[in-house]
Amino acid sequence: MIGRSFIRRGNLVEKEEFSLFLVKNSLIDKADPRFKSLMKWQDVDLFRRPLSFLFPADAHGRLDKLLECDDALLEGVVFPRVPLRLKTGGFINFDMKMKRLGYAERRLDFFRPGKHEGSFEVADTSTDLYSFFNFVEGLLNSPYEGEIGLAMVSVDALREGSTLSDTAKYAARQEIEKGLKARAIGATLGIMDEASYGLLVDGTFDEKAYATEMLAVAASLKIDPAVLTAKTARMNMDNRTLDTAELQRALAHSRAIFLGEVDTGQPLTCLSGVLDGIQHNRKLIEQALSKYEYRVSPRVILDTVKSTSLAHLQQGKINLEGKICQPDEILVMADHPDLCLVHDLAQLDDLIRMRVRKKQIEREVPDYYELCRSTLIQEGFFEGLAKIMEKYNERPVFVGFRIKGVPPVKRGGIHWHALGRLADLGHPLWIDRFGDAVLETEALGCVRGGYVEIQPNLMRKLAGHFDGKDLMEKLVETWRYRDVGVLSCDLPDYDMKVLAQEMGIHIAVEDAT
């Protein structure tokens, strides 16, 4: 028998007004008696009718998108004030939740508006950024009619190297995540980095109120409130018509601005503003390239024991309204492969043109060009590289590539295939997958004769572990056994540089100026 169901959440019991059961995802199979009593429909009116006939015509498109989406993505979301059609005419608003019961079977639960607030359980885990972005897209495309904002929260005390003990850090993380999930639409929390989160919120989210909540967390855990502070931002999601690629770029750009990876000089206020900023910065880069206002900037790679130069790191920079900087300082370049390809090929042509003008003894020192990983996997890059190498008659062994952020080698995929192609052509490689040394895989052979760098966060994390230094030393030796040099680059402070020396990492890139 189908009747009203009850969901127990701690000390709260929530009563559903009624439920609708669907088959083939969108066809009404049955409704509980409460629905038929309230809405005046009979079984004969409902059986195998498409769900859309109960909704207003202008909601059909977004309802179809909701029913086509991954149920698990939006299962925790309460859709506020959804209009359902009365048989006698007109509509009544209810809050709605959706749950998958089996293959192509769903249950829609309806509640009196506002009765769900504060009564739904909080999920036990947070989600990765990719899944969170998919959740954002799913919600924006759904019939959700309430105000939606993207809130971002960063707590430096949770980072490696903070003054908090591991125990205090764990306890603080648990409390912070619990509080954020309680505020998040769908209790969904996206992990932006080791100490930062993204969440979708309604119009009730208040940054000042959250700061007060952080004080309460600090007090409950007996942590200095001056240590457990949060940086927050809230961005209004005022554009719900973006395609997947546009939305993913905008979300990644917003994250980069919030974390300080991209500097636009503009506050995060709304999604449309972020989109305008992306277009503006793209044009700046395109104009600089079209006017030949670009150059590579060299940094010396040193053997710190012998005090000799081993190679040069060459980073492409452009003139942006009088400021010389790398394009990824104002734009998440990996999300713009078309622009990356144009930029990297232009800079490479310039680099190799200047190389062949040097004296022969100077040309014996290899250059490693910093290549965007989105350029690496484009066929146009290999075609352009071949033409440049042929034009200047340069030997591949002297033109290497630094590629940051490639996926773990155990995943394989197009990035590692492209690295293998470069190695087969004779180009030395430099990657940042230091921890992959523990894997015995032929794919790592492409790095032979090149470099692997240890990232500062990983170095700090290993150094803080009771046997982390021993592990680091073993990984360094493993890479050397494979004829791969281990180097450090852009270490944040003197102590980290000393630690690198202690671990046997004697190759370093000079600091950027």
Side-chain angles (χ1 to χ4, degrees), residues 3 15 55 58 65 101 130 138 156 194 204 225 232 253 267 279 314 329 354 387 397 453 462-463 489:
K15 183 183 294 184
F55 285 76
D58 59 2
K65 288 183 179 180
L101 301 178
Y130 178 80
D156 284 343
E194 61 175 332
T204 64
T232 60
H253 194 75
Q279 290 304 314
Q314 301 281 359
E329 293 179 39
M354 291 188 294
K387 292 177 182 178
V397 70
E453 68 178 275
L462 289 173
C489 184

Side-chain angles (χ1 to χ4, degrees), residues 325-383:
C325 66
Q326 293 177 245
D328 59 9
E329 293 179 39
I330 67 165
L331 196 66
V332 182
M333 290 293 284
D335 290 341
H336 302 267
D338 58 331
L339 192 56
C340 282
L341 180 63
V342 174
H343 170 264
D344 285 336
L345 288 178
Q347 298 276 17
L348 268 172
D349 188 284
D350 204 42
L351 169 63
I352 299 174
R353 177 181 59 82
M354 291 188 294
R355 271 190 60 84
V356 299
R357 294 180 177 181
K358 295 179 180 179
K359 297 178 181 178
Q360 186 59 39
I361 191 171
E362 293 176 331
R363 291 179 63 184
E364 296 297 317
V365 178
D367 285 304
Y368 283 80
Y369 175 74
E370 187 163 313
L371 186 75
C372 182
R373 65 179 182 273
S374 68
T375 301
L376 169 71
I377 58 176
Q378 297 185 62
E379 189 61 35
F381 164 65
F382 285 92
E383 295 171 356

Side-chain angles (χ1 to χ4, degrees), residues 301 311-313 366-372 376 381-382 385 396-404 406 414-433 442-453 479 482-487 507:
I301 303 171
H312 291 101
L313 167 62
D367 285 304
Y368 283 80
Y369 175 74
E370 187 163 313
L371 186 75
C372 182
L376 169 71
F381 164 65
F382 285 92
L385 176 63
V397 70
F398 294 118
V399 181
F401 295 95
R402 179 197 193 193
I403 305 101
K404 297 191 295 182
V406 295
I414 54 178
H415 292 87
W416 284 94
H417 175 70
L419 289 173
R421 287 181 66 181
L422 281 177
D424 290 343
L425 291 171
H427 296 279
L429 301 175
W430 165 357
I431 61 173
D432 59 357
R433 298 299 314 177
E442 292 183 6
L444 290 175
C446 67
V447 197
R448 185 176 293 111
Y451 295 108
V452 64
E453 68 178 275
W479 282 114
R482 290 175 169 164
D483 190 27
V484 178
V486 180
L487 55 72
I507 304 173

Side-chain angles (χ1 to χ4, degrees), residues 11-236:
N11 294 323
L12 294 170
V13 177
E14 178 180 281
K15 183 183 294 184
E16 298 160 7
E17 286 298 312
F18 52 79
S19 298
L20 288 174
F21 293 79
L22 310 180
V23 293
K24 295 184 178 179
N25 292 324
S26 62
L27 299 179
I28 300 172
D29 183 47
K30 51 192 173 183
D32 65 32
R34 178 71 170 166
F35 173 81
K36 289 179 283 188
S37 172
L38 283 174
M39 309 302 287
K40 311 304 181 185
W41 296 101
Q42 302 299 317
D43 287 331
V44 68
D45 301 318
L46 302 172
F47 187 68
R48 293 299 193 265
R49 294 285 299 274
L51 179 67
S52 58
F53 99 95
L54 289 176
F55 285 76
D58 59 2
H60 288 182
R62 292 168 70 194
L63 178 66
D64 289 342
K65 288 183 179 180
L66 172 64
L67 296 174
E68 291 168 4
C69 81
D70 178 4
D71 298 83
L73 206 62
L74 299 177
E75 197 165 273
V77 174
V78 176
F79 295 90
R81 304 188 69 78
V82 173
L84 281 183
R85 188 188 305 276
L86 279 161
K87 184 174 182 178
T88 53
F91 294 87
I92 299 178
N93 291 330
F94 294 92
D95 291 347
M96 181 184 81
K97 287 191 73 176
M98 178 174 65
K99 183 175 181 61
R100 179 172 288 280
L101 301 178
Y103 177 72
E105 295 182 357
R106 289 174 169 151
R107 187 184 77 221
L108 301 181
D109 296 328
F110 295 87
F111 311 84
R112 283 176 291 174
K115 294 301 180 182
H116 63 276
E117 290 183 4
S119 57
F120 289 105
E121 65 184 356
V122 175
D124 293 331
T125 58
S126 302
T127 187
D128 63 90
L129 201 60
Y130 178 80
S131 298
F132 178 66
F133 285 178
N134 286 341
F135 168 74
V136 174
E137 180 183 11
L139 192 65
L140 293 182
N141 282 333
S142 77
Y144 191 98
E145 294 292 348
E147 181 180 343
I148 302 176
L150 172 65
M152 289 174 280
V153 176
S154 182
V155 184
D156 284 343
L158 301 181
R159 298 189 185 281
E160 288 290 339
S162 77
T163 57
L164 288 185
S165 67
D166 287 345
T167 302
K169 200 177 295 180
Y170 175 81
R173 189 183 301 277
Q174 293 294 105
E175 288 300 310
I176 289 168
E177 290 187 4
K178 179 181 176 182
L180 290 175
K181 288 172 186 173
R183 293 172 174 271
I185 295 174
T188 300
L189 202 60
I191 300 175
M192 298 201 304
D193 71 3
E194 61 175 332
S196 305
Y197 304 95
L199 59 152
L200 290 182
V201 294
D202 58 24
T204 64
F205 182 83
D206 181 83
E207 293 179 58
K208 291 183 180 179
Y210 184 71
T212 303
E213 184 175 312
M214 287 292 291
L215 291 175
V217 171
S220 67
L221 298 175
K222 295 181 173 57
I223 297 174
D224 183 352
V227 173
L228 198 65
T229 59
K231 169 189 172 185
T232 60
R234 186 186 186 282
M235 183 176 79
N236 184 26

